[in-house]
Amino acid sequence: MNLKISSFAEYEQVYKQSVEQPEEFWAAIADNFQWKKKWDKVLDWNFTEPNVKWFDGAKLNITENCLDRHLDTLGDKPAIIWEPNDPNEDHRVLSYKQLHAKVCQFANVLKNNGVKKGDRICIYMPMLPELAIALLACARVGAIHSVVFGGFSAQSIADRINDATCSLVITADGGFRGAKDLPLKSVIDDALVQCQSVKRVIVLTRSRTPVAMIKGRDVWWEDEIKKVETQGNVDCPAEEMDAEDMMFILYTSGSTGKPKGVVHTCGGYMVYAGYTFANVFQYNPGEVYFCTADIGWITGHSYIVYGPLSQGATSLMFEGIPTYPDAGRFWDVVDKHKVNILYTAPTAIRSLMSFGDEPLKGKDLSSLTKLGSVGEPINEEAWHWYDEKIGKSNCPIVDTWWQTENGGILISPIAGVTPTKPGYATLPLPGVQPVLVDENGKEILGNGVSGNLCIKFPWPGIIRTTYGDHERCRQTYFATYPGMYFTGDGCLRDEDGYYRITGRVDDVLNVSGHRIGTAEVENAINMHATVVESAVVGYPHDIKGQGVYAFVVCPAKTDNEDLTRKDIMMTVQRIIGAIAKPDKIQFVSGLPKTRSGKIMRRILRKIAEGETSNLGDTSTLLDPGVVEEIKAGAL
Ligand code: WTA
C-alpha cells in the first residue's frame, strides 16, 4: 500500500479499512519499510496492563531505513541542510552518503567507548548535524538515547540520567542560541556530580568556550573520530533489533511527580514516524522540508530526524531562534534554502506576527507549498496570519495534534488532500480511533459535542512504558478511563465531526509549546529557603499561549519583594531550567483551601485569568477571607 493518500475519498476509504482491519492495514504500511526479518504477528495488545506489541518477531534497524536504503538512489542528495545561528557563518549540507559515513564513524566511536546494545546514553547538545548523528549512531548500535533539551538545568539532567542509569553522555563545549551562549559542558559537569553511572563524556567542539576535561572520563568527539579513522573503521554494521526492543527514552512532564521517561520501541516507532511524515506533509522527492523544533523534544525526534530521513527527505535543521538577529530570520532561511514545507509552532507564529509586516519585506517565500503547526492550540488570528502572510493563501496548513507519548501525529489534516479549518486539527489519521468521554468515562457519541480526548485502539507509535516504572504508565494513561488511552487534553468535535483540541484538562501547562507540570514548578519554588507553600496555575499569554502564574506564601519577603521574586526565579531556573520560570509571582498570606486541605486551583486559575467576578462557591473554604486578599493583590 502506498503511504500517501491522494484524495479525500481515498482518505475515507483507507480510514474505514484501518479501523475495520487494523492488522491488514498496518502490515501493508509496514511493507514499505526495510526489515531484516518480517514480523510473526502484527499486533498484540491490551490496555489494562497495558501491553502493546507491534510487529512482534520482526528484526530491523531504523538507521538502515533512514540511511542505507537510500544510498543507491539518493546517495548524493542532501539529507540534512544545516543553517547556523549566526547568518554570517556558512551553512552545511550533508548528503545521504556523507551522513551515512558520519553515523557509521560515530557509531564506531561509541563502540570504542564501550557502548553496547541496550545501554542508555544521555545527549545534551545544541542543534547541530552532530546531534542528529549522535541519535542515529545510538540507534545504529542499539543503544537507547535519552535526549535532554538544552534549556534544562543541571539538576534536571541529573534526575534524568539517574532515572535511566545512563553510562555515557554526549555533549558539546557550548552552543549558540540567539544572542546567548549556552555553557553545555559546564552544566553537564554540575549534573555529573550527582551521577555515579556515567563513565564517559564525549564532548563536541562548537563554541570553544574553556571547559574542564576530566581525566579518564571526558574525551573530545574530534579525537575519537580520528582514532576511528586510523583504525580504518569506516563501516559499522547495523545492530539487529527486535521490533519491540527499546529504541529511545524521552522525558516529559505530567500532572504529578517528576518527569517520566516515555519509552518508544524500534519497529512501531519507525513505521509510525515515517508513515505520518510522508502522508501528512505529502512529501515529494526533492522538496526541502524545514521543521523549526528542537531535537530535544519529540517533534524533533520524529519530524527532523527519523520521519523525514526514513522517507529520503531533505531535512533542514536550524541552530538559532526566529528573532535573531531579527524577526525576519525564518523568512531569510526559507528564502535562502528555497524551503517547500515549513513546520513550526503557534508560539513562534504569534511572536513573529507581533513584529508586523516589516520583517517580511523583500523575502521571497514563493517556494513554500505546505505549512504545519504543532505543540499547542493555534488561535484563529495566528492561523490566518500564517495562512495569508506566509502561505499567501496558497498553502494548506496542517494543524497537527499529538504528544510525546504518541510517537507521531494522530489528528491532522493531510496537506492538500483533506480539508483544513482554522483552529482545528480536523480528522484522525488512518489507524487512529479518537473518542470523547465525559467525567464518568462514558463515551460521548455524535457531533457538536465536547469532552476529554481518549484513543480507544493502539497505533504503532504508542508509548510502551514509562522507563523503570510500568505502573506509572498504567496509572497516568490507562487507569482514568479503563480500556482507553487518556490524552490529558480536552476536545471539541464540531457538527462536521472535526476535532478541535482545547488544551490540557490536567495540571500540565503548555508554555511556548513546552510541557510543564505545575507540581514540578511548585516543588522547585518550595525549595527556596523562605517559601512556605505555593500554587502554580496557567493564564492566557499573548505570545506563549500560557504563562506561569505562581501564588507564593513567603512570610519573609517583606523588605524587598522584588529581590525575593528574583531569588525564587533563580531557584526554579536551578531546579528545572529557564523554561519553567514563572511569569508572575504574587505573594499571598495563604492559599484557598478546602477543610480537607486541598488547594482550590479553580479559584486561583480564575484570578490568574483576571476573571474575578464569578469565582463560584467559596463557602467550603477553610478561610474564605484569603480569596478577597488574593483578588485584591492580583497581578
Ligand atoms: C498540546 C508535542 C492543540 C496538547 C508534539 C498535547 C496541541 C501536548 C497540538 C503534547 C495541536 C500538541 N493543537 N494542542 N496541534 N499539538 N498540543 O508532548 O495539549 O510536547 O497534550 O508533544 O501539546 O505536548 P508534547
Side-chain angles (χ1 to χ4, degrees), residues 288-579:
V288 176
Y289 160 86
F290 175 20
C291 168
T292 71
D294 192 290
I295 291 178
W297 307 109
I298 191 69
T299 306
H301 283 58
S302 299
Y303 298 115
I304 294 179
V305 183
Y306 294 112
L309 297 180
S310 77
Q311 300 308 304
T314 296
S315 183
L316 193 150
M317 242 180 113
F318 175 43
E319 184 183 27
I321 58 170
T323 49
Y324 179 85
D326 58 54
R329 191 67 204 284
F330 270 6
W331 321 128
D332 283 327
V333 176
V334 169
D335 190 342
K336 177 175 171 187
H337 298 287
K338 300 290 166 247
V339 170
N340 305 111
I341 309 173
L342 174 68
Y343 189 30
T344 191
T347 187
I349 297 168
R350 286 190 299 263
S351 153
L352 295 174
M353 197 168 92
S354 74
F355 289 89
D357 290 352
E358 197 53 36
L360 283 161
K361 289 224 173 94
K363 311 289 157 78
D364 180 4
L365 304 183
S366 63
S367 55
L368 289 173
T369 57
K370 292 161 253 185
L371 301 175
S373 168
V374 61
E376 44 178 324
I378 179 165
N379 47 309
E380 289 194 29
E381 197 192 352
W383 196 98
H384 286 295
W385 187 85
Y386 198 29
D387 180 39
E388 285 155 29
K389 302 287 177 178
I390 307 308
K392 316 290 182 198
S393 307
N394 216 0
C395 303
I397 298 178
V398 292
D399 176 0
T400 64
W401 172 82
W402 60 296
Q403 313 174 296
T404 304
E405 295 85 345
N406 307 157
I409 299 164
L410 293 189
I411 303 181
S412 168
I414 295 174
V417 171
T418 63
T420 62
K421 181 169 181 173
Y424 282 74
T426 70
L427 299 171
L429 293 181
V432 176
Q433 302 187 32
V435 285
L436 301 184
V437 297
D438 65 17
E439 279 101 84
N440 305 317
K442 201 168 161 295
E443 184 171 347
I444 306 168
L445 298 167
N447 289 340
V449 293
S450 52
N452 289 344
L453 179 62
C454 292
I455 316 284
K456 69 174 175 194
F457 195 85
W459 61 98
I462 191 176
I463 180 175
R464 298 302 195 274
T465 189
T466 42
Y467 192 83
D469 190 353
H470 192 64
E471 172 58 13
R472 190 157 176 214
C473 173
R474 192 188 68 78
Q475 281 277 344
T476 312
Y477 307 105
F478 299 92
T480 319
Y481 303 110
M484 289 184 251
Y485 166 82
F486 176 43
T487 65
D489 279 319
C491 182
L492 176 144
R493 185 166 54 218
D494 75 0
E495 293 300 341
D496 302 321
Y498 288 16
Y499 290 85
R500 178 191 185 118
I501 313 303
T502 47
R504 304 285 305 194
V505 293
D506 52 8
D507 291 319
V508 173
L509 306 182
N510 194 326
V511 181
S512 301
H514 302 331
R515 252 169 90 168
I516 297 171
T518 52
E520 249 183 286
V521 185
E522 287 163 9
N523 289 340
I525 292 174
N526 298 349
M527 298 282 274
H528 184 70
T530 58
V531 170
V532 174
E533 206 181 4
S534 65
V536 166
V537 297
Y539 71 96
H541 187 289
D542 284 348
I543 307 278
K544 297 176 170 188
Q546 271 190 309
V548 181
Y549 195 124
F551 298 90
V552 180
V553 182
C554 178
K557 58 150 198 322
T558 41
D559 31 345
N560 194 336
E561 279 204 4
D562 262 351
L563 200 59
T564 311
R565 260 196 200 97
K566 285 189 184 136
D567 288 347
I568 292 174
M569 298 275 199
M570 183 49 80
T571 314
V572 175
Q573 181 164 342
R574 280 267 177 231
I575 304 292
I576 305 177
I579 56 169

Side-chain angles (χ1 to χ4, degrees), residues 82-352:
W82 174 78
E83 174 65 25
N85 181 57
D86 176 355
N88 297 316
E89 191 182 338
D90 288 340
H91 71 272
R92 289 167 63 188
V93 179
L94 292 178
S95 69
Y96 270 94
K97 267 189 200 148
Q98 290 165 326
L99 183 61
H100 175 263
K102 283 185 183 293
V103 168
C104 286
Q105 252 184 350
F106 194 66
N108 283 324
V109 166
L110 293 177
K111 283 187 180 170
N112 279 347
N113 283 280
V115 172
K116 293 182 305 300
K117 176 177 172 178
D119 289 353
R120 275 82 54 217
I121 302 209
C122 171
I123 303 180
Y124 187 67
M125 287 177 82
M127 281 286 286
L128 299 171
E130 283 72 17
L131 169 53
I133 291 167
L135 266 74
L136 290 161
C138 286
R140 189 85 175 169
V141 302
I144 297 161
H145 56 70
S146 163
V147 185
V148 179
F149 175 64
F152 281 113
S153 68
Q155 183 62 52
S156 293
I157 300 168
D159 290 344
R160 286 158 174 74
I161 288 178
N162 288 335
D163 186 71
T165 52
C166 295
S167 55
L168 188 144
V169 175
I170 309 171
T171 187
D173 49 358
F176 305 117
R177 250 175 84 80
K180 280 193 212 137
D181 289 356
L182 310 173
L184 300 173
K185 172 62 163 63
S186 147
V187 177
I188 287 292
D189 288 337
D190 289 346
L192 293 189
V193 172
Q194 301 181 50
C195 305
Q196 298 310 308
S197 57
V198 174
K199 302 292 178 240
R200 181 73 78 231
V201 181
I202 302 178
V203 187
L204 178 81
T205 307
R206 171 61 182 144
S207 63
R208 303 208 166 264
T209 15
V211 292
M213 295 295 282
I214 304 299
K215 195 179 293 165
R217 189 193 72 182
D218 301 351
V219 295
W220 289 106
W221 176 299
E222 294 77 9
D223 292 346
E224 295 302 297
I225 293 286
K226 279 201 199 100
K227 277 188 211 161
V228 169
E229 278 169 354
T230 29
Q231 287 164 353
N233 261 352
V234 273
D235 196 23
C236 176
E239 188 74 33
E240 187 170 280
M241 305 299 286
D242 283 334
E244 283 299 336
D245 275 341
M246 213 177 271
M247 181 181 156
F248 68 86
I249 307 171
L250 189 56
Y251 284 83
T252 192
S253 295
S255 46
T256 54
K258 290 201 166 167
K260 48 193 171 290
V262 172
V263 170
H264 287 289
T265 55
C266 297
Y269 176 79
M270 170 181 77
V271 170
Y272 202 70
Y275 171 61
T276 51
F277 171 78
N279 209 10
V280 169
F281 297 104
Q282 292 282 300
Y283 184 82
N284 298 311
E287 285 181 328
V288 176
Y289 160 86
F290 175 20
C291 168
T292 71
D294 192 290
I295 291 178
W297 307 109
I298 191 69
T299 306
H301 283 58
S302 299
Y303 298 115
I304 294 179
V305 183
Y306 294 112
L309 297 180
S310 77
Q311 300 308 304
T314 296
S315 183
L316 193 150
M317 242 180 113
F318 175 43
E319 184 183 27
I321 58 170
T323 49
Y324 179 85
D326 58 54
R329 191 67 204 284
F330 270 6
W331 321 128
D332 283 327
V333 176
V334 169
D335 190 342
K336 177 175 171 187
H337 298 287
K338 300 290 166 247
V339 170
N340 305 111
I341 309 173
L342 174 68
Y343 189 30
T344 191
T347 187
I349 297 168
R350 286 190 299 263
S351 153
L352 295 174

Side-chain angles (χ1 to χ4, degrees), residues 32 34 64-79 95-97 100 283 285-286 308-314:
N32 287 273
Q34 187 177 308
E64 288 186 332
N65 283 269
C66 291
L67 301 168
D68 305 59
R69 71 162 164 161
H70 305 312
L71 294 181
D72 284 344
T73 46
L74 302 168
D76 296 318
K77 292 274 179 326
S95 69
Y96 270 94
K97 267 189 200 148
H100 175 263
Y283 184 82
L309 297 180
S310 77
Q311 300 308 304
T314 296

Side-chain angles (χ1 to χ4, degrees), residues 1-5 10 13-14 17-18 21-35 38-39 41-43 54-55 65 69 270-272 274-275 278-279 311 430-431 460:
M1 183 188 285
N2 204 331
L3 295 186
K4 281 158 73 181
I5 287 171
E10 187 187 349
Q13 177 248 316
V14 169
Q17 190 220 339
S18 77
Q21 299 175 302
E23 298 198 27
E24 286 81 350
F25 170 74
W26 284 113
I29 295 296
D31 271 334
N32 287 273
F33 293 79
Q34 187 177 308
W35 304 87
K38 289 264 171 100
W39 48 90
K41 190 150 191 258
V42 178
L43 172 64
W54 280 96
F55 312 114
N65 283 269
R69 71 162 164 161
M270 170 181 77
V271 170
Y272 202 70
Y275 171 61
N279 209 10
Q311 300 308 304

